[in-house]
Amino acid sequence: MTKILDRTDQWARLSSFRWLMGLYAENHVKLERFFAPCQRATGTYFSQGADGLILRADVLEQHRFTTEMRLTYTVEDPETGTLDPSAFIRAYRDAKQVEATHCRAGRNWQDAIGMFPPPEKMIDHRLRMNIFLGKWLDYLGSQGHAAETFDASPVHEASNV
């Protein structure tokens, strides 16, 4: 009986790394249902949601097993002039995983946590970025964005694209 309780306790305490891998898998399901990036040609796609904001999805690169892309709104940050918020995403087709590699234009993990962070700090940073991505994908879905709402032409000519 003690062995069963010990095993249950081990599963109850998921490590941060396993949690991160679980987030990658959840985000893959959400992104595939929401946008299906692995099936799209490189280019820029737009979708307008119920909130009136225009979402921009840039498929940057298609490789044999990965897709590189960026999700952002067509709204410029008044201070920097960049599109914000932004999430740069890498989708792994073979592993069925999606990770947010960085969440701001020109800001990689090295800029946020330094060149040689301890593993715990790196995993924590990746957890936060991918929790953000998962919540954002949920929000975008609730606003009516879906694979079929994206078009390769701007929704409004007056948008800041």
Side-chain angles (χ1 to χ4, degrees):
M1 183 70 165
T2 305
K3 282 189 173 192
I4 293 171
L5 292 176
D6 288 343
R7 186 174 294 157
T8 304
D9 190 42
Q10 286 176 351
W11 283 104
R13 289 182 276 130
L14 287 177
S15 72
S16 295
F17 182 74
R18 282 196 276 182
W19 187 20
L20 181 61
M21 293 299 104
L23 277 174
Y24 287 178
E26 284 179 26
N27 287 344
H28 178 270
V29 170
K30 292 175 184 181
L31 188 64
E32 279 299 315
R33 181 180 19 171
F34 162 73
F35 181 64
C38 299
Q39 300 172 14
R40 300 199 186 250
T42 57
T44 301
Y45 301 86
F46 301 91
S47 175
Q48 185 168 5
D51 57 8
L53 295 174
I54 299 170
L55 184 66
R56 176 179 171 160
D58 297 310
V59 178
L60 305 170
E61 296 284 337
Q62 288 285 15
H63 302 285
R64 184 173 178 195
F65 297 109
T66 59
T67 300
E68 304 274 343
M69 65 174 292
R70 176 180 74 158
L71 276 180
T72 189
Y73 288 112
T74 58
V75 178
E76 288 185 13
D77 181 313
E79 291 180 22
T80 64
T82 60
L83 299 176
D84 198 41
S86 281
F88 286 80
I89 299 166
R90 184 175 297 128
Y92 301 93
R93 287 187 203 91
D94 55 341
K96 296 189 181 333
Q97 305 245 315
V98 165
E99 73 169 319
T101 58
H102 51 287
C103 292
R104 195 163 185 193
R107 185 158 181 185
N108 295 315
W109 62 267
Q110 300 95 330
D111 301 325
I113 58 177
M115 281 300 292
F116 303 105
E120 300 83 24
K121 191 171 183 179
M122 176 64 95
I123 289 173
D124 180 61
H125 179 69
R126 290 186 181 275
L127 273 169
R128 288 186 292 140
M129 284 191 305
N130 286 282
I131 289 169
F132 161 76
L133 177 60
K135 288 181 178 184
W136 193 19
L137 291 173
D138 288 340
Y139 173 76
L140 294 172
S142 75
Q143 294 302 307
H145 297 285
E148 60 275 2
T149 66
F150 282 88
D151 189 3
S153 60
V155 179
H156 293 309
E157 294 189 23
S159 67
N160 296 328
V161 193

